[in-house]
Amino acid sequence: PFVRIGTHMQEHDINVPKIITHDLKRGFMVLSDFGDVHFQDLLEGPKRDELYDLAISEILSLQYELSNFAETLPSFDREWQKKELDIFREWCLPGLEQTVCEEALEPLFEAIDSIPRSFMHRDFHCRNLLIPSSDSIGVIDFQGAMLGPVTYDLVSLLRDCYVENDEDWITEEVSSFQQALEQSKEGIPEMSDEDFLRWFDFTGLQRHLKCIGIFHRLKIRDGKESYLKDVPRVKKYVETVLERYPEELSGIQ
């Protein structure tokens, strides 16, 4: 998948590492080097807003340039969503029956299924973006890309598991993204800011519950305790969404 997806992305001028040579049977490849300056490293500096503008433009480019290719990727369907959230149940609520958990999450699955789909990187956050030059972003870790909700990569970036962002600022960025999406992509209806924010919130809720489960699995199974320090931030994202939609998500409450 890395070779197939990466080659296609490069053909459409997405800044991914160039695959210089590879041998899949022996399991190695030689890639161009993006350096070691991550998106996260520069967020405390004067170019924070500029960096986020670049990253959001990159999401729009991915969705526009790779729209046809996305149809060939695995689908972020209900079964995949259930499989991801079973990680949360297994490692955070092991005493809860799977069927009971899935029943509570059904409104979330149904809402996500109704969102238009496009190319979805699936892990578009500050540690998977490198800054090889002052005016460009390099994208890595794209081998898990899927056909998924148009708001998924945006929530990965703006409600990053590793970075604090102000909620009012996030809402403004979501609205700007919505306007750009409506202008550039067919199949995206004109809609209220509130409805589009709901798409953003619900995809984020699914992602963040999964991430909490993964972080606990890393600690319990793999002995990697450092990820637990990010759980309070991610839990806050979950609480924000649950408080915003108390009736729709009452089962998860």
Side-chain angles (χ1 to χ4, degrees), residues 112-229:
I112 292 174
D113 273 353
S114 70
I115 300 172
R117 300 185 174 201
S118 189
F119 181 91
M120 184 177 85
H121 178 287
R122 200 156 69 90
D123 224 5
F124 198 90
H125 61 71
C126 66
R127 296 182 180 176
N128 285 335
L129 302 174
L130 290 160
I131 312 298
S133 64
S134 60
D135 59 350
S136 68
I137 282 181
V139 182
I140 63 171
D141 201 19
F142 46 76
Q143 63 274 4
M146 303 183 79
L147 176 67
V150 294
T151 48
Y152 192 97
D153 285 344
L154 185 68
V155 80
S156 302
L157 176 71
L158 299 182
R159 286 197 185 131
D160 197 315
C161 294
Y162 311 109
V163 176
E164 297 277 357
N165 282 315
D166 179 75
E167 273 297 321
D168 289 339
W169 175 83
I170 290 173
T171 301
E172 292 177 3
E173 293 298 310
V174 173
S175 180
S176 297
F177 182 86
Q178 174 190 353
Q179 294 173 32
L181 204 60
E182 289 174 349
Q183 293 171 7
S184 66
K185 186 174 176 62
E186 296 180 2
I188 301 297
E190 290 191 12
M191 57 196 305
S192 69
D193 288 356
E194 290 77 12
D195 286 341
F196 192 83
L197 182 63
R198 178 178 176 274
W199 286 359
F200 176 85
D201 283 339
F202 277 48
T203 50
L205 179 58
Q206 192 277 343
R207 174 176 172 78
H208 293 129
L209 288 172
K210 176 197 73 171
C211 289
I212 291 173
I214 289 175
F215 289 167
H216 280 81
R217 183 174 67 184
L218 284 166
K219 190 266 184 184
I220 297 168
R221 187 190 69 184
D222 304 331
K224 298 179 179 180
E225 297 188 11
S226 63
Y227 287 92
L228 287 188
K229 72 179 185 299

Side-chain angles (χ1 to χ4, degrees), residues 241-251 253:
V241 177
L242 293 178
E243 290 169 4
R244 191 171 283 168
Y245 310 95
E247 294 182 5
E248 285 186 82
L249 301 175
S250 59
Q253 300 271 16

